[in-house]
Short mmCIF file of all heavy atoms in Angstrom, two decimals:
data_model
loop_
_atom_site.label_atom_id
_atom_site.label_comp_id
_atom_site.label_asym_id
_atom_site.label_seq_id
_atom_site.Cartn_x
_atom_site.Cartn_y
_atom_site.Cartn_z
N MET Y 30 -10.97 4.53 -10.27
CA MET Y 30 -9.91 4.93 -11.18
C MET Y 30 -8.77 3.93 -11.14
O MET Y 30 -8.54 3.19 -12.10
CB MET Y 30 -9.43 6.34 -10.86
CG MET Y 30 -8.92 6.53 -9.44
SD MET Y 30 -8.33 8.21 -9.15
CE MET Y 30 -6.99 7.92 -8.03
N ASN Y 31 -8.09 3.82 -10.04
CA ASN Y 31 -7.00 2.85 -9.95
C ASN Y 31 -7.53 1.48 -9.57
O ASN Y 31 -8.35 1.35 -8.68
CB ASN Y 31 -5.97 3.30 -8.91
CG ASN Y 31 -5.18 4.49 -9.40
OD1 ASN Y 31 -4.90 4.60 -10.59
ND2 ASN Y 31 -4.83 5.37 -8.49
N THR Y 32 -7.04 0.49 -10.24
CA THR Y 32 -7.46 -0.86 -9.92
C THR Y 32 -6.51 -1.47 -8.92
O THR Y 32 -5.39 -1.00 -8.73
CB THR Y 32 -7.48 -1.73 -11.19
OG1 THR Y 32 -6.19 -1.67 -11.79
CG2 THR Y 32 -8.51 -1.21 -12.16
N LYS Y 33 -6.94 -2.51 -8.27
CA LYS Y 33 -6.05 -3.25 -7.40
C LYS Y 33 -6.11 -4.72 -7.75
O LYS Y 33 -7.07 -5.18 -8.38
CB LYS Y 33 -6.40 -3.01 -5.94
CG LYS Y 33 -7.83 -3.29 -5.58
CD LYS Y 33 -8.06 -2.93 -4.12
CE LYS Y 33 -9.51 -3.20 -3.74
NZ LYS Y 33 -9.78 -2.85 -2.35
N ARG Y 34 -5.10 -5.42 -7.33
CA ARG Y 34 -5.02 -6.84 -7.68
C ARG Y 34 -5.74 -7.69 -6.65
O ARG Y 34 -5.88 -7.30 -5.49
CB ARG Y 34 -3.55 -7.26 -7.75
CG ARG Y 34 -2.77 -6.42 -8.74
CD ARG Y 34 -1.48 -7.07 -9.13
NE ARG Y 34 -0.61 -7.33 -7.99
CZ ARG Y 34 0.53 -8.01 -8.09
NH1 ARG Y 34 0.90 -8.50 -9.25
NH2 ARG Y 34 1.29 -8.20 -7.04
N ALA Y 35 -6.18 -8.86 -7.10
CA ALA Y 35 -6.89 -9.75 -6.18
C ALA Y 35 -5.91 -10.43 -5.24
O ALA Y 35 -6.22 -10.70 -4.09
CB ALA Y 35 -7.68 -10.78 -6.97
N ARG Y 36 -4.70 -10.70 -5.74
CA ARG Y 36 -3.72 -11.40 -4.92
C ARG Y 36 -2.36 -10.74 -5.09
O ARG Y 36 -2.06 -10.15 -6.10
CB ARG Y 36 -3.65 -12.87 -5.32
CG ARG Y 36 -4.98 -13.60 -5.19
CD ARG Y 36 -4.82 -15.09 -5.37
NE ARG Y 36 -4.09 -15.69 -4.26
CZ ARG Y 36 -4.67 -16.12 -3.14
NH1 ARG Y 36 -5.96 -16.01 -2.98
NH2 ARG Y 36 -3.95 -16.66 -2.19
N CYS Y 37 -1.53 -10.89 -4.04
CA CYS Y 37 -0.24 -10.20 -4.04
C CYS Y 37 0.82 -10.95 -4.85
O CYS Y 37 1.85 -10.40 -5.18
CB CYS Y 37 0.25 -10.03 -2.61
SG CYS Y 37 0.61 -11.60 -1.79
N GLY Y 38 0.57 -12.20 -5.17
CA GLY Y 38 1.55 -12.97 -5.93
C GLY Y 38 2.15 -14.10 -5.14
O GLY Y 38 2.72 -15.03 -5.71
N ASN Y 39 2.05 -14.04 -3.82
CA ASN Y 39 2.50 -15.17 -3.01
C ASN Y 39 1.42 -16.24 -3.00
O ASN Y 39 0.25 -15.94 -2.77
CB ASN Y 39 2.77 -14.73 -1.56
CG ASN Y 39 3.95 -13.79 -1.48
OD1 ASN Y 39 4.81 -13.80 -2.33
ND2 ASN Y 39 3.96 -12.97 -0.45
N VAL Y 40 1.81 -17.46 -3.30
CA VAL Y 40 0.84 -18.57 -3.27
C VAL Y 40 1.42 -19.70 -2.44
O VAL Y 40 2.51 -20.18 -2.76
CB VAL Y 40 0.52 -19.06 -4.70
CG1 VAL Y 40 -0.49 -20.20 -4.64
CG2 VAL Y 40 0.00 -17.91 -5.54
N PRO Y 41 0.80 -20.16 -1.41
CA PRO Y 41 -0.45 -19.58 -0.91
C PRO Y 41 -0.17 -18.33 -0.07
O PRO Y 41 0.93 -18.15 0.43
CB PRO Y 41 -1.01 -20.70 -0.02
CG PRO Y 41 0.22 -21.40 0.49
CD PRO Y 41 1.25 -21.31 -0.61
N CYS Y 42 -1.17 -17.49 0.07
CA CYS Y 42 -1.03 -16.31 0.93
C CYS Y 42 -2.25 -16.22 1.83
O CYS Y 42 -3.36 -16.03 1.35
CB CYS Y 42 -0.89 -15.05 0.08
SG CYS Y 42 -0.79 -13.57 1.09
N GLU Y 43 -2.00 -16.38 3.13
CA GLU Y 43 -3.14 -16.36 4.05
C GLU Y 43 -3.77 -14.97 4.13
O GLU Y 43 -4.93 -14.83 4.49
CB GLU Y 43 -2.68 -16.81 5.45
CG GLU Y 43 -1.62 -15.90 6.03
CD GLU Y 43 -1.24 -16.33 7.44
OE1 GLU Y 43 -2.13 -16.34 8.30
OE2 GLU Y 43 -0.08 -16.66 7.68
N TRP Y 44 -2.99 -13.96 3.79
CA TRP Y 44 -3.53 -12.59 3.88
C TRP Y 44 -4.47 -12.30 2.72
O TRP Y 44 -5.45 -11.59 2.87
CB TRP Y 44 -2.38 -11.58 3.90
CG TRP Y 44 -1.54 -11.74 5.11
CD1 TRP Y 44 -0.35 -12.39 5.19
CD2 TRP Y 44 -1.83 -11.28 6.43
NE1 TRP Y 44 0.11 -12.36 6.48
CE2 TRP Y 44 -0.76 -11.69 7.26
CE3 TRP Y 44 -2.88 -10.56 6.98
CZ2 TRP Y 44 -0.72 -11.39 8.62
CZ3 TRP Y 44 -2.83 -10.26 8.34
CH2 TRP Y 44 -1.76 -10.69 9.14
N CYS Y 45 -4.14 -12.86 1.54
CA CYS Y 45 -5.02 -12.66 0.39
C CYS Y 45 -6.30 -13.46 0.56
O CYS Y 45 -7.31 -13.16 -0.07
CB CYS Y 45 -4.32 -13.08 -0.90
SG CYS Y 45 -3.09 -11.89 -1.44
N ASP Y 46 -6.26 -14.50 1.39
CA ASP Y 46 -7.43 -15.35 1.56
C ASP Y 46 -8.49 -14.69 2.43
O ASP Y 46 -9.62 -15.14 2.49
CB ASP Y 46 -7.04 -16.69 2.17
CG ASP Y 46 -6.29 -17.57 1.17
OD1 ASP Y 46 -6.45 -17.31 -0.04
OD2 ASP Y 46 -5.56 -18.47 1.59
N ARG Y 47 -8.10 -13.64 3.15
CA ARG Y 47 -9.07 -13.00 4.03
C ARG Y 47 -9.38 -11.60 3.54
O ARG Y 47 -8.57 -10.93 2.92
CB ARG Y 47 -8.54 -12.98 5.47
CG ARG Y 47 -7.13 -12.45 5.58
CD ARG Y 47 -6.54 -12.73 6.92
NE ARG Y 47 -7.22 -11.98 7.96
CZ ARG Y 47 -7.00 -12.14 9.26
NH1 ARG Y 47 -6.14 -13.04 9.68
NH2 ARG Y 47 -7.63 -11.41 10.15
N ASP Y 48 -10.55 -11.15 3.85
CA ASP Y 48 -11.02 -9.87 3.35
C ASP Y 48 -11.38 -8.90 4.47
O ASP Y 48 -11.89 -7.83 4.22
CB ASP Y 48 -12.27 -10.07 2.48
CG ASP Y 48 -11.93 -10.04 1.00
OD1 ASP Y 48 -10.99 -9.31 0.64
OD2 ASP Y 48 -12.60 -10.74 0.23
N ASP Y 49 -11.12 -9.31 5.71
CA ASP Y 49 -11.66 -8.53 6.82
C ASP Y 49 -10.73 -7.42 7.28
O ASP Y 49 -11.12 -6.60 8.10
CB ASP Y 49 -11.99 -9.47 7.98
CG ASP Y 49 -10.78 -10.31 8.41
OD1 ASP Y 49 -9.93 -10.59 7.54
OD2 ASP Y 49 -10.69 -10.66 9.59
N ARG Y 50 -9.50 -7.39 6.77
CA ARG Y 50 -8.59 -6.35 7.23
C ARG Y 50 -8.09 -5.54 6.04
O ARG Y 50 -7.51 -6.08 5.11
CB ARG Y 50 -7.40 -6.97 7.96
CG ARG Y 50 -7.80 -7.63 9.27
CD ARG Y 50 -6.62 -8.32 9.88
NE ARG Y 50 -5.65 -7.38 10.42
CZ ARG Y 50 -5.71 -6.90 11.66
NH1 ARG Y 50 -6.66 -7.27 12.46
NH2 ARG Y 50 -4.79 -6.06 12.08
N ALA Y 51 -8.31 -4.26 6.09
CA ALA Y 51 -7.80 -3.40 5.02
C ALA Y 51 -6.37 -2.99 5.35
O ALA Y 51 -6.02 -2.79 6.51
CB ALA Y 51 -8.67 -2.15 4.90
N CYS Y 52 -5.56 -2.91 4.34
CA CYS Y 52 -4.18 -2.49 4.52
C CYS Y 52 -4.14 -1.12 5.19
O CYS Y 52 -4.80 -0.19 4.75
CB CYS Y 52 -3.49 -2.44 3.16
SG CYS Y 52 -1.83 -1.74 3.24
N ARG Y 53 -3.36 -1.02 6.27
CA ARG Y 53 -3.37 0.26 6.99
C ARG Y 53 -2.48 1.29 6.31
O ARG Y 53 -2.50 2.47 6.66
CB ARG Y 53 -2.96 0.06 8.44
CG ARG Y 53 -1.56 -0.46 8.63
CD ARG Y 53 -1.45 -1.14 10.00
NE ARG Y 53 -0.38 -2.12 9.98
CZ ARG Y 53 0.85 -1.83 10.43
NH1 ARG Y 53 1.13 -0.65 10.87
NH2 ARG Y 53 1.78 -2.75 10.41
N PHE Y 54 -1.68 0.85 5.36
CA PHE Y 54 -0.81 1.81 4.67
C PHE Y 54 -1.54 2.53 3.55
O PHE Y 54 -1.29 3.69 3.27
CB PHE Y 54 0.44 1.11 4.14
CG PHE Y 54 1.33 0.60 5.23
CD1 PHE Y 54 1.22 -0.71 5.68
CD2 PHE Y 54 2.25 1.44 5.84
CE1 PHE Y 54 2.02 -1.18 6.71
CE2 PHE Y 54 3.04 0.98 6.87
CZ PHE Y 54 2.93 -0.35 7.30
N CYS Y 55 -2.42 1.82 2.87
CA CYS Y 55 -3.16 2.43 1.76
C CYS Y 55 -4.65 2.51 2.07
O CYS Y 55 -5.43 2.90 1.24
CB CYS Y 55 -2.92 1.65 0.48
SG CYS Y 55 -3.50 -0.06 0.56
N ARG Y 56 -5.02 2.10 3.28
CA ARG Y 56 -6.41 2.10 3.72
C ARG Y 56 -7.29 1.29 2.79
O ARG Y 56 -8.43 1.64 2.53
CB ARG Y 56 -6.96 3.54 3.84
CG ARG Y 56 -6.33 4.29 4.98
CD ARG Y 56 -7.05 5.62 5.21
NE ARG Y 56 -6.13 6.72 5.43
CZ ARG Y 56 -5.72 7.54 4.47
NH1 ARG Y 56 -6.17 7.39 3.25
NH2 ARG Y 56 -4.89 8.49 4.74
N GLY Y 57 -6.72 0.22 2.25
CA GLY Y 57 -7.53 -0.70 1.48
C GLY Y 57 -7.66 -0.35 0.00
O GLY Y 57 -8.31 -1.08 -0.74
N SER Y 58 -7.05 0.74 -0.41
CA SER Y 58 -7.20 1.13 -1.81
C SER Y 58 -6.23 0.37 -2.72
O SER Y 58 -6.44 0.28 -3.92
CB SER Y 58 -6.97 2.63 -1.97
OG SER Y 58 -5.60 2.93 -1.78
N GLY Y 59 -5.14 -0.17 -2.14
CA GLY Y 59 -4.13 -0.83 -2.95
C GLY Y 59 -3.12 0.15 -3.53
O GLY Y 59 -2.16 -0.25 -4.18
N TRP Y 60 -3.35 1.45 -3.30
CA TRP Y 60 -2.46 2.49 -3.83
C TRP Y 60 -2.12 3.46 -2.72
O TRP Y 60 -2.89 3.68 -1.81
CB TRP Y 60 -3.15 3.24 -4.97
CG TRP Y 60 -3.36 2.39 -6.18
CD1 TRP Y 60 -4.37 1.48 -6.36
CD2 TRP Y 60 -2.55 2.31 -7.35
NE1 TRP Y 60 -4.22 0.87 -7.57
CE2 TRP Y 60 -3.12 1.35 -8.21
CE3 TRP Y 60 -1.39 2.99 -7.74
CZ2 TRP Y 60 -2.57 1.04 -9.44
CZ3 TRP Y 60 -0.85 2.68 -8.98
CH2 TRP Y 60 -1.43 1.71 -9.82
N TRP Y 61 -0.97 4.04 -2.84
CA TRP Y 61 -0.64 5.11 -1.91
C TRP Y 61 -0.07 6.26 -2.70
O TRP Y 61 0.38 6.11 -3.83
CB TRP Y 61 0.29 4.61 -0.80
CG TRP Y 61 1.66 4.25 -1.25
CD1 TRP Y 61 1.99 3.50 -2.35
CD2 TRP Y 61 2.89 4.59 -0.61
NE1 TRP Y 61 3.35 3.35 -2.41
CE2 TRP Y 61 3.93 4.00 -1.37
CE3 TRP Y 61 3.21 5.31 0.54
CZ2 TRP Y 61 5.27 4.15 -1.02
CZ3 TRP Y 61 4.54 5.43 0.88
CH2 TRP Y 61 5.55 4.87 0.11
N ARG Y 62 -0.09 7.43 -2.07
CA ARG Y 62 0.31 8.64 -2.78
C ARG Y 62 1.34 9.41 -1.97
O ARG Y 62 1.00 10.40 -1.33
CB ARG Y 62 -0.92 9.52 -3.03
CG ARG Y 62 -1.89 8.88 -3.99
CD ARG Y 62 -3.11 9.76 -4.24
NE ARG Y 62 -3.96 9.13 -5.23
CZ ARG Y 62 -4.77 8.12 -4.97
NH1 ARG Y 62 -4.86 7.66 -3.75
NH2 ARG Y 62 -5.50 7.60 -5.92
N PRO Y 63 2.57 8.93 -2.01
CA PRO Y 63 3.60 9.66 -1.29
C PRO Y 63 3.93 10.96 -2.02
O PRO Y 63 3.66 11.10 -3.21
CB PRO Y 63 4.79 8.70 -1.33
CG PRO Y 63 4.57 7.91 -2.57
CD PRO Y 63 3.08 7.77 -2.74
N GLU Y 64 4.53 11.87 -1.28
CA GLU Y 64 5.01 13.10 -1.90
C GLU Y 64 6.50 12.99 -2.07
O GLU Y 64 7.22 12.58 -1.17
CB GLU Y 64 4.64 14.31 -1.05
CG GLU Y 64 3.18 14.67 -1.17
CD GLU Y 64 2.88 15.99 -0.47
OE1 GLU Y 64 3.58 16.31 0.50
OE2 GLU Y 64 1.95 16.68 -0.89
N ARG Y 65 6.97 13.35 -3.24
CA ARG Y 65 8.39 13.25 -3.56
C ARG Y 65 8.96 14.64 -3.75
O ARG Y 65 8.33 15.49 -4.38
CB ARG Y 65 8.57 12.47 -4.86
CG ARG Y 65 8.26 11.00 -4.73
CD ARG Y 65 9.48 10.26 -4.20
NE ARG Y 65 9.16 8.87 -3.83
CZ ARG Y 65 9.00 7.89 -4.72
NH1 ARG Y 65 9.14 8.15 -6.00
NH2 ARG Y 65 8.72 6.70 -4.32
N PRO Y 66 10.18 14.86 -3.26
CA PRO Y 66 10.85 16.14 -3.55
C PRO Y 66 11.02 16.27 -5.06
O PRO Y 66 11.35 15.31 -5.75
CB PRO Y 66 12.20 16.00 -2.86
CG PRO Y 66 12.07 14.86 -1.92
CD PRO Y 66 11.01 13.95 -2.48
N HIS Y 67 10.77 17.45 -5.54
CA HIS Y 67 10.78 17.65 -6.97
C HIS Y 67 11.38 19.03 -7.25
O HIS Y 67 10.94 20.03 -6.67
CB HIS Y 67 9.34 17.56 -7.49
CG HIS Y 67 9.16 18.10 -8.87
ND1 HIS Y 67 9.54 17.39 -9.99
CD2 HIS Y 67 8.65 19.27 -9.32
CE1 HIS Y 67 9.26 18.11 -11.06
NE2 HIS Y 67 8.72 19.25 -10.68
N GLN Y 68 12.39 19.07 -8.09
CA GLN Y 68 13.02 20.35 -8.38
C GLN Y 68 12.40 20.96 -9.63
O GLN Y 68 12.35 20.32 -10.68
CB GLN Y 68 14.52 20.17 -8.57
CG GLN Y 68 15.28 21.49 -8.50
CD GLN Y 68 16.74 21.28 -8.13
OE1 GLN Y 68 17.28 20.21 -8.34
NE2 GLN Y 68 17.38 22.29 -7.57
N THR Y 69 11.93 22.16 -9.50
CA THR Y 69 11.29 22.82 -10.63
C THR Y 69 12.35 23.34 -11.59
O THR Y 69 13.55 23.38 -11.27
CB THR Y 69 10.42 23.99 -10.15
OG1 THR Y 69 11.28 24.99 -9.60
CG2 THR Y 69 9.44 23.53 -9.10
N ALA Y 70 11.92 23.80 -12.75
CA ALA Y 70 12.84 24.35 -13.75
C ALA Y 70 13.56 25.57 -13.21
O ALA Y 70 14.68 25.88 -13.61
CB ALA Y 70 12.07 24.69 -15.02
N ALA Y 71 12.91 26.26 -12.28
CA ALA Y 71 13.51 27.46 -11.71
C ALA Y 71 14.50 27.11 -10.60
O ALA Y 71 15.12 27.99 -10.01
CB ALA Y 71 12.42 28.38 -11.17
N GLY Y 72 14.66 25.82 -10.33
CA GLY Y 72 15.61 25.42 -9.31
C GLY Y 72 15.05 25.41 -7.91
O GLY Y 72 15.76 25.19 -6.95
N GLU Y 73 13.74 25.61 -7.80
CA GLU Y 73 13.12 25.57 -6.48
C GLU Y 73 12.71 24.14 -6.15
O GLU Y 73 12.38 23.36 -7.03
CB GLU Y 73 11.89 26.47 -6.45
CG GLU Y 73 12.25 27.95 -6.59
CD GLU Y 73 11.01 28.79 -6.80
OE1 GLU Y 73 9.96 28.21 -7.14
OE2 GLU Y 73 11.11 30.02 -6.64
N LEU Y 74 12.72 23.88 -4.87
CA LEU Y 74 12.33 22.54 -4.43
C LEU Y 74 10.85 22.56 -4.08
O LEU Y 74 10.40 23.40 -3.30
CB LEU Y 74 13.16 22.16 -3.22
CG LEU Y 74 13.32 20.66 -2.99
CD1 LEU Y 74 13.99 20.00 -4.18
CD2 LEU Y 74 14.17 20.43 -1.75
N SER Y 75 10.11 21.65 -4.65
CA SER Y 75 8.71 21.54 -4.29
C SER Y 75 8.38 20.06 -4.12
O SER Y 75 9.25 19.21 -4.23
CB SER Y 75 7.82 22.18 -5.36
OG SER Y 75 7.87 21.41 -6.54
N TRP Y 76 7.14 19.80 -3.85
CA TRP Y 76 6.72 18.42 -3.62
C TRP Y 76 5.77 17.99 -4.72
O TRP Y 76 4.86 18.71 -5.08
CB TRP Y 76 6.04 18.29 -2.25
CG TRP Y 76 6.98 18.55 -1.14
CD1 TRP Y 76 7.22 19.76 -0.56
CD2 TRP Y 76 7.85 17.61 -0.49
NE1 TRP Y 76 8.19 19.63 0.41
CE2 TRP Y 76 8.57 18.32 0.49
CE3 TRP Y 76 8.06 16.24 -0.62
CZ2 TRP Y 76 9.51 17.70 1.31
CZ3 TRP Y 76 8.98 15.63 0.19
CH2 TRP Y 76 9.69 16.36 1.15
N ALA Y 77 6.00 16.81 -5.22
CA ALA Y 77 5.13 16.26 -6.25
C ALA Y 77 4.48 15.01 -5.71
O ALA Y 77 5.14 14.16 -5.10
CB ALA Y 77 5.92 15.96 -7.52
N ARG Y 78 3.20 14.91 -5.93
CA ARG Y 78 2.48 13.72 -5.45
C ARG Y 78 2.49 12.65 -6.55
O ARG Y 78 2.25 12.95 -7.71
CB ARG Y 78 1.05 14.11 -5.09
CG ARG Y 78 0.40 13.14 -4.15
CD ARG Y 78 -0.92 13.69 -3.63
NE ARG Y 78 -0.75 14.67 -2.57
CZ ARG Y 78 -0.57 14.37 -1.29
NH1 ARG Y 78 -0.50 13.11 -0.91
NH2 ARG Y 78 -0.46 15.30 -0.39
N VAL Y 79 2.84 11.44 -6.15
CA VAL Y 79 2.90 10.36 -7.13
C VAL Y 79 1.99 9.22 -6.68
O VAL Y 79 1.77 9.02 -5.49
CB VAL Y 79 4.34 9.82 -7.30
CG1 VAL Y 79 5.23 10.90 -7.91
CG2 VAL Y 79 4.91 9.37 -5.97
N ASP Y 80 1.47 8.51 -7.62
CA ASP Y 80 0.66 7.32 -7.33
C ASP Y 80 1.50 6.08 -7.51
O ASP Y 80 2.10 5.89 -8.56
CB ASP Y 80 -0.53 7.25 -8.29
CG ASP Y 80 -1.64 8.18 -7.85
OD1 ASP Y 80 -1.39 9.01 -6.97
OD2 ASP Y 80 -2.75 8.07 -8.39
N GLU Y 81 1.54 5.25 -6.50
CA GLU Y 81 2.29 4.00 -6.60
C GLU Y 81 1.44 2.85 -6.06
O GLU Y 81 0.70 3.03 -5.10
CB GLU Y 81 3.57 4.06 -5.75
CG GLU Y 81 4.63 4.96 -6.33
CD GLU Y 81 5.92 4.85 -5.53
OE1 GLU Y 81 5.93 4.16 -4.50
OE2 GLU Y 81 6.90 5.46 -5.94
N PRO Y 82 1.59 1.69 -6.67
CA PRO Y 82 0.94 0.52 -6.06
C PRO Y 82 1.51 0.32 -4.66
O PRO Y 82 2.71 0.46 -4.46
CB PRO Y 82 1.33 -0.64 -6.99
CG PRO Y 82 1.76 0.01 -8.27
CD PRO Y 82 2.32 1.35 -7.89
N CYS Y 83 0.64 0.04 -3.72
CA CYS Y 83 1.09 -0.13 -2.34
C CYS Y 83 1.98 -1.37 -2.24
O CYS Y 83 1.58 -2.47 -2.60
CB CYS Y 83 -0.11 -0.27 -1.42
SG CYS Y 83 0.34 -0.54 0.30
N ARG Y 84 3.19 -1.16 -1.73
CA ARG Y 84 4.12 -2.29 -1.64
C ARG Y 84 3.85 -3.14 -0.41
O ARG Y 84 4.25 -4.29 -0.33
CB ARG Y 84 5.55 -1.76 -1.55
CG ARG Y 84 6.05 -1.22 -2.88
CD ARG Y 84 7.47 -0.70 -2.73
NE ARG Y 84 7.65 0.54 -3.48
CZ ARG Y 84 8.40 1.56 -3.06
NH1 ARG Y 84 9.02 1.49 -1.92
NH2 ARG Y 84 8.51 2.63 -3.79
N MET Y 85 3.19 -2.56 0.57
CA MET Y 85 2.98 -3.31 1.80
C MET Y 85 1.95 -4.41 1.63
O MET Y 85 1.95 -5.41 2.34
CB MET Y 85 2.54 -2.35 2.91
CG MET Y 85 3.53 -1.25 3.18
SD MET Y 85 5.22 -1.84 3.43
CE MET Y 85 5.02 -2.71 4.98
N CYS Y 86 1.04 -4.22 0.68
CA CYS Y 86 -0.01 -5.23 0.49
C CYS Y 86 0.04 -5.81 -0.90
O CYS Y 86 -0.85 -6.57 -1.29
CB CYS Y 86 -1.37 -4.61 0.77
SG CYS Y 86 -1.81 -3.27 -0.36
N GLY Y 87 1.06 -5.47 -1.68
CA GLY Y 87 1.18 -6.02 -3.03
C GLY Y 87 0.06 -5.52 -3.94
O GLY Y 87 -0.33 -6.23 -4.86
N ASN Y 88 -0.45 -4.32 -3.65
CA ASN Y 88 -1.50 -3.71 -4.48
C ASN Y 88 -2.83 -4.46 -4.35
O ASN Y 88 -3.67 -4.39 -5.24
CB ASN Y 88 -1.03 -3.66 -5.95
CG ASN Y 88 -1.94 -2.82 -6.85
OD1 ASN Y 88 -2.18 -3.18 -7.98
ND2 ASN Y 88 -2.46 -1.74 -6.34
N THR Y 89 -3.01 -5.15 -3.25
CA THR Y 89 -4.28 -5.86 -3.06
C THR Y 89 -5.24 -5.07 -2.17
O THR Y 89 -6.43 -5.30 -2.19
CB THR Y 89 -4.05 -7.22 -2.39
OG1 THR Y 89 -3.47 -7.01 -1.10
CG2 THR Y 89 -3.14 -8.10 -3.23
N GLY Y 90 -4.71 -4.16 -1.37
CA GLY Y 90 -5.56 -3.42 -0.44
C GLY Y 90 -5.88 -4.21 0.82
O GLY Y 90 -6.62 -3.75 1.66
N LYS Y 91 -5.29 -5.39 0.94
CA LYS Y 91 -5.53 -6.22 2.12
C LYS Y 91 -4.31 -6.18 3.04
O LYS Y 91 -3.17 -6.22 2.56
CB LYS Y 91 -5.81 -7.67 1.71
CG LYS Y 91 -7.04 -7.81 0.82
CD LYS Y 91 -7.14 -9.22 0.31
CE LYS Y 91 -8.22 -9.33 -0.78
NZ LYS Y 91 -8.23 -10.66 -1.41
N GLU Y 92 -4.57 -6.12 4.31
CA GLU Y 92 -3.47 -6.09 5.28
C GLU Y 92 -2.54 -7.28 5.08
O GLU Y 92 -3.00 -8.42 4.97
CB GLU Y 92 -4.06 -6.10 6.69
CG GLU Y 92 -3.02 -6.08 7.77
CD GLU Y 92 -2.16 -4.82 7.73
OE1 GLU Y 92 -2.69 -3.74 7.92
OE2 GLU Y 92 -0.95 -4.94 7.50
N HIS Y 93 -1.24 -7.01 5.00
CA HIS Y 93 -0.28 -8.09 4.77
C HIS Y 93 0.84 -8.10 5.80
O HIS Y 93 1.85 -8.75 5.60
CB HIS Y 93 0.33 -7.96 3.37
CG HIS Y 93 -0.41 -8.74 2.33
ND1 HIS Y 93 -1.67 -8.42 1.94
CD2 HIS Y 93 -0.07 -9.84 1.61
CE1 HIS Y 93 -2.06 -9.29 1.01
NE2 HIS Y 93 -1.12 -10.15 0.80
N ASN Y 94 0.68 -7.37 6.86
CA ASN Y 94 1.75 -7.31 7.84
C ASN Y 94 1.42 -8.23 9.01
O ASN Y 94 0.51 -7.97 9.78
CB ASN Y 94 1.91 -5.86 8.32
CG ASN Y 94 3.13 -5.73 9.20
OD1 ASN Y 94 3.67 -6.72 9.70
ND2 ASN Y 94 3.54 -4.50 9.42
N ALA Y 95 2.18 -9.29 9.12
CA ALA Y 95 1.91 -10.27 10.16
C ALA Y 95 1.99 -9.65 11.55
O ALA Y 95 1.36 -10.12 12.49
CB ALA Y 95 2.87 -11.44 10.05
N LEU Y 96 2.79 -8.59 11.68
CA LEU Y 96 2.94 -7.97 12.99
C LEU Y 96 1.66 -7.33 13.46
O LEU Y 96 1.49 -7.06 14.64
CB LEU Y 96 4.06 -6.91 12.93
CG LEU Y 96 5.44 -7.47 12.68
CD1 LEU Y 96 6.45 -6.33 12.55
CD2 LEU Y 96 5.87 -8.40 13.79
N SER Y 97 0.76 -7.05 12.53
CA SER Y 97 -0.48 -6.38 12.91
C SER Y 97 -1.58 -7.39 13.20
O SER Y 97 -2.68 -7.01 13.52
CB SER Y 97 -0.93 -5.43 11.82
OG SER Y 97 -1.37 -6.17 10.71
N ALA Y 98 -1.27 -8.66 13.04
CA ALA Y 98 -2.30 -9.66 13.29
C ALA Y 98 -2.68 -9.65 14.77
O ALA Y 98 -1.83 -9.40 15.63
CB ALA Y 98 -1.77 -11.04 12.90
N PRO Y 99 -3.92 -9.88 15.05
CA PRO Y 99 -4.33 -9.90 16.46
C PRO Y 99 -3.60 -11.02 17.20
O PRO Y 99 -3.37 -12.09 16.63
CB PRO Y 99 -5.84 -10.17 16.39
CG PRO Y 99 -6.12 -10.63 15.01
CD PRO Y 99 -5.02 -10.13 14.13
N PRO Y 100 -3.17 -10.78 18.42
CA PRO Y 100 -2.44 -11.79 19.17
C PRO Y 100 -3.28 -13.04 19.37
O PRO Y 100 -4.48 -12.95 19.64
CB PRO Y 100 -2.11 -11.11 20.50
CG PRO Y 100 -3.04 -9.96 20.60
CD PRO Y 100 -3.38 -9.56 19.19
N ALA Y 101 -2.64 -14.18 19.25
CA ALA Y 101 -3.36 -15.44 19.45
C ALA Y 101 -3.51 -15.71 20.94
O ALA Y 101 -2.56 -15.57 21.70
CB ALA Y 101 -2.61 -16.57 18.78
N HIS Y 102 -4.69 -16.04 21.36
CA HIS Y 102 -4.93 -16.31 22.77
C HIS Y 102 -4.98 -17.80 23.04
O HIS Y 102 -5.40 -18.55 22.21
CB HIS Y 102 -6.26 -15.67 23.20
CG HIS Y 102 -6.17 -14.18 23.27
ND1 HIS Y 102 -5.43 -13.48 24.19
CD2 HIS Y 102 -6.68 -13.26 22.44
CE1 HIS Y 102 -5.55 -12.20 23.96
NE2 HIS Y 102 -6.29 -12.02 22.91
ZN1 ZN O 433 -1.09 -11.84 -0.25
ZN1 ZN O 434 -1.65 -1.40 0.96
#
């Protein structure tokens, strides 16, 4: 259903060049579904689920956080 991008937009990007790590925030889907507070017409507070492109991986579904890279030995 939802598509993801091949690259995050940074060129060059070493994270986009590799395919072995899935983004841990969206689990590789490139999308995440946070819940947002939402006020109903009756004035009650409820939660609404929204679909957003994952900002952590630029909607690529590939891990982009350098902090999660395996330590260099
Ligand atoms: Zn990238
Ligand atoms: Zn992601």
Side-chain angles (χ1 to χ4, degrees):
M30 57 179 214
N31 289 325
T32 55
K33 55 183 179 181
R34 303 198 301 174
R36 301 190 69 87
C37 65
N39 293 336
V40 181
C42 178
E43 61 177 300
W44 296 100
C45 285
D46 288 339
R47 49 193 293 173
D48 259 328
D49 56 331
R50 293 175 72 88
C52 173
R53 63 202 155 96
F54 294 94
C55 62
R56 291 189 224 96
S58 71
W60 292 81
W61 68 314
R62 293 180 177 78
E64 284 188 331
R65 289 276 170 77
H67 165 78
Q68 195 157 24
T69 66
E73 293 170 344
L74 204 60
S75 69
W76 295 90
R78 201 170 281 277
V79 294
D80 280 12
E81 287 187 355
C83 178
R84 286 179 220 143
M85 302 309 293
C86 63
N88 190 218
T89 62
K91 299 172 190 173
E92 179 62 64
H93 268 67
N94 187 344
L96 294 176
S97 70
H102 289 291

